[in-house]
């Protein structure tokens, strides 16, 4: 087991998949790079508005046990690549369908989901 600090989380697209790159430094002083291509970009919409996503190519809607601060149930919206999030968010907002956490950058979402945080 090694301990260290993540200095910079980045995202790259490789072979059509999003790859999170975590650049850091171990306690020993050695640099490290961790790459993970298993995560998928996602954000949330109100569950009652998930139907507005019908017909969106490459979009998958999944149930979620989470809710908004107002207590409204949300659904998880999964897209193929991080770059797919901003235009989809804009289309949804144009339809007056609010989005939640669609502004969280993919590499930071990766860290949040895994409970990784700064020193």
């Amino acid at each position: 087991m090694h301990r260290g600090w993540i200095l910079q989380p980045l995202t790259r697209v490789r072979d059509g998949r999003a790859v999170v790159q975590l650049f850091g430094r171990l306690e020993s002083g050695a640099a490290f790079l961790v790459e993970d291509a298993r995560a998928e970009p996602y954000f949330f919409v109100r569950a009652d508005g998930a139907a507005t996503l019908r017909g969106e190519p490459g979009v998958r809607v999944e149930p979620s046990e989470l809710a908004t601060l107002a207590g409204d149930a949300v659904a998880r919206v999964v897209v193929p690549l991080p770059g797919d999030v901003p235009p989809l968010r804009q289309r949804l907002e144009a339809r007056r369908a609010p989005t939640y956490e669609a502004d969280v950058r993919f590499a930071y979402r990766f860290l949040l989901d895994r409970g990784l945080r700064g020193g």
Side-chain angles (χ1 to χ4, degrees):
M1 172 114 143
H2 298 282
R3 289 176 34 118
W5 294 267
I6 296 168
L7 302 174
Q8 177 132 23
L10 295 174
T11 302
R12 296 285 180 256
V13 175
R14 185 182 304 138
D15 299 324
R17 293 220 21 117
V19 179
V20 174
Q21 296 179 316
L22 305 175
F23 293 88
R25 182 124 353 237
L26 298 174
E27 284 182 324
S28 67
F32 70 84
L33 167 62
V34 173
E35 293 187 323
D36 193 322
R38 296 173 292 176
E40 296 177 297
Y42 70 90
F43 62 94
F44 299 96
V45 296
R46 282 203 321 249
D48 61 5
T52 61
L53 291 160
R54 261 190 230 126
E56 289 285 348
V59 174
R60 191 170 78 238
V61 179
E62 301 174 345
S64 171
E65 294 183 12
L66 301 175
T68 67
L69 293 175
D72 299 321
V74 294
R76 182 175 162 170
V77 179
V78 182
V79 296
L81 296 172
D84 298 333
V85 172
L88 179 56
R89 178 183 66 214
Q90 291 170 352
R91 288 194 300 276
L92 288 169
E93 289 173 354
R95 297 176 199 156
R96 304 249 190 263
T99 61
Y100 303 91
E101 299 187 6
D103 58 340
V104 177
R105 291 176 39 202
F106 181 61
Y108 289 95
R109 162 67 56 205
F110 179 90
L111 297 174
L112 288 167
D113 288 349
R114 285 152 185 82
L116 299 172
R117 53 185 177 261

